[in-house]
């Protein structure tokens, strides 16, 4: 699968990047994608929700009225959940929402997500670049040259590049990650995935195992 390589000015360099069919042109597995995105979102949850139950409420422990003869339901504690100010019945407790997925399934999900984006023509291959200084203006100029300033974009670098990362950090609609940080959720959450040439080998090596 051949894709034209662009420079940071949006011009065709005349080179073609060969994207592996085993990574960018498979039949997407929607259920694998669903599970991987579900796990990613579950891992974002803190799980610190808590409400007080009847045993944790401050209040009297005396029986509030006699057992029989009142014509109403029996009641033993003012802290019962049926009374105002009482504990909450079956309320939320702190819990861990994370769950395990097999590595092969997560790998399949990422390949499926990349194949979906490739099928939508939503993958751009860019030659490797860097900035001398940290300037948001520099990164914005790259987005404008690629006509992506109004799109949610994901830039995937081959390795850590602090100047590029910091230049993009102030832009809400753009995210810069390395190939090792690639996730199904981030791929699908972007309108356009911009792969730097140096990232291709790492992506294909990680996902072709």
């Amino acid at each position: 699968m051949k894709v034209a390589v662009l420079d940071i000015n949006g011009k065709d360099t005349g080179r073609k990047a060969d994207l592996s069919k085993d990574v960018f042109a498979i039949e997407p597995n929607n259920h694998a994608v669903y599970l991987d995105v579900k796990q990613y979102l579950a891992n974002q949850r803190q799980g610190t929700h808590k409400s007080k139950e009847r045993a944790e409420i401050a209040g009297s422990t005396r029986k509030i009225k006699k057992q029989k003869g009142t014509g109403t339901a029996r009641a033993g504690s003012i802290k019962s959940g049926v009374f105002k100010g009482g504990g909450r019945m079956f309320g939320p407790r702190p819990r861990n929402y994370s769950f395990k997925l097999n590595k092969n399934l997560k790998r399949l999900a990422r390949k499926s997500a990349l194949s979906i984006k490739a099928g939508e023509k939503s993958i751009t291959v860019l030659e490797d670049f860097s900035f001398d200084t940290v300037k948001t203006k520099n990164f914005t100029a790259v987005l404008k040259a690629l006509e992506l300033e109004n799109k949610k974009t994901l830039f995937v670098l081959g390795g850590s590049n602090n100047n590029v990362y910091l230049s993009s950090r102030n832009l809400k609609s753009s995210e810069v990650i390395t190939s090792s940080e690639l996730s199904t959720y981030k791929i699908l959450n972007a309108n356009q995935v911009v792969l730097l040439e140096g990232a291709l080998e790492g992506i294909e090596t990680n996902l072709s195992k």
Side-chain angles (χ1 to χ4, degrees), residues 76-95:
S77 171
I78 197 68
K79 297 187 283 186
S80 168
V82 300
F83 295 120
K84 182 181 177 183
R88 182 169 173 186
M89 292 183 280
F90 308 113
R93 294 178 175 181
R95 59 164 289 196

Side-chain angles (χ1 to χ4, degrees), residues 5 11 23-24 31 47 70 86 89 96 104-105 115 125 127 139 141 145 155 166-167 174 188 193 196 205:
V5 178
K11 307 294 185 190
V23 175
F24 293 91
H31 191 62
T70 62
M89 292 183 280
N96 180 8
N104 284 341
L105 187 142
S115 297
V125 178
E127 67 177 1
F139 196 84
F155 280 71
L166 292 175
S167 296
S174 293
L188 295 177
V193 179
L196 268 64
T205 301

Side-chain angles (χ1 to χ4, degrees), residues 98-111:
S98 64
F99 59 93
K100 181 183 179 298
L101 287 179
N102 293 331
K103 284 183 181 178
N104 284 341
L105 187 142
K106 291 172 72 68
R107 203 173 285 132
L108 173 61
R110 287 198 294 272
K111 288 193 287 188

Side-chain angles (χ1 to χ4, degrees), residues 158-177:
S160 180
N161 187 323
N162 216 35
N163 284 357
V164 174
Y165 168 70
L166 292 175
S167 296
S168 71
R169 195 169 58 170
N170 206 31
L171 299 173
K172 193 180 291 187
S173 61
S174 293
E175 186 176 6
V176 172
I177 60 173

Side-chain angles (χ1 to χ4, degrees), residues 74-208:
R74 56 196 172 185
S77 171
I78 197 68
K79 297 187 283 186
S80 168
V82 300
F83 295 120
K84 182 181 177 183
R88 182 169 173 186
M89 292 183 280
F90 308 113
R93 294 178 175 181
R95 59 164 289 196
N96 180 8
Y97 282 92
S98 64
F99 59 93
K100 181 183 179 298
L101 287 179
N102 293 331
K103 284 183 181 178
N104 284 341
L105 187 142
K106 291 172 72 68
R107 203 173 285 132
L108 173 61
R110 287 198 294 272
K111 288 193 287 188
S112 297
L114 288 170
S115 297
I116 290 169
K117 287 297 180 185
E120 295 173 348
K121 308 292 185 190
S122 297
I123 289 182
T124 302
V125 178
L126 200 63
E127 67 177 1
D128 293 325
F129 69 94
S130 185
F131 298 138
D132 296 329
T133 56
V134 177
K135 286 276 188 185
T136 304
K137 186 166 61 176
N138 294 342
F139 196 84
T140 305
V142 174
L143 291 175
K144 284 183 178 176
L146 298 173
E147 298 181 354
L148 298 175
E149 65 267 33
N150 296 320
K151 289 186 176 181
K152 195 183 287 187
T153 54
L154 178 68
F155 280 71
V156 185
L157 310 181
S160 180
N161 187 323
N162 216 35
N163 284 357
V164 174
Y165 168 70
L166 292 175
S167 296
S168 71
R169 195 169 58 170
N170 206 31
L171 299 173
K172 193 180 291 187
S173 61
S174 293
E175 186 176 6
V176 172
I177 60 173
T178 62
S179 58
S180 60
E181 297 169 328
L182 199 62
S183 73
T184 305
Y185 177 83
K186 289 182 177 180
I187 295 168
L188 295 177
N189 192 43
N191 298 128
Q192 191 77 14
V193 179
V194 180
L195 305 177
L196 268 64
E197 276 187 292
L200 293 176
E201 185 181 351
I203 293 171
E204 292 177 0
T205 301
N206 289 338
L207 299 182
S208 297

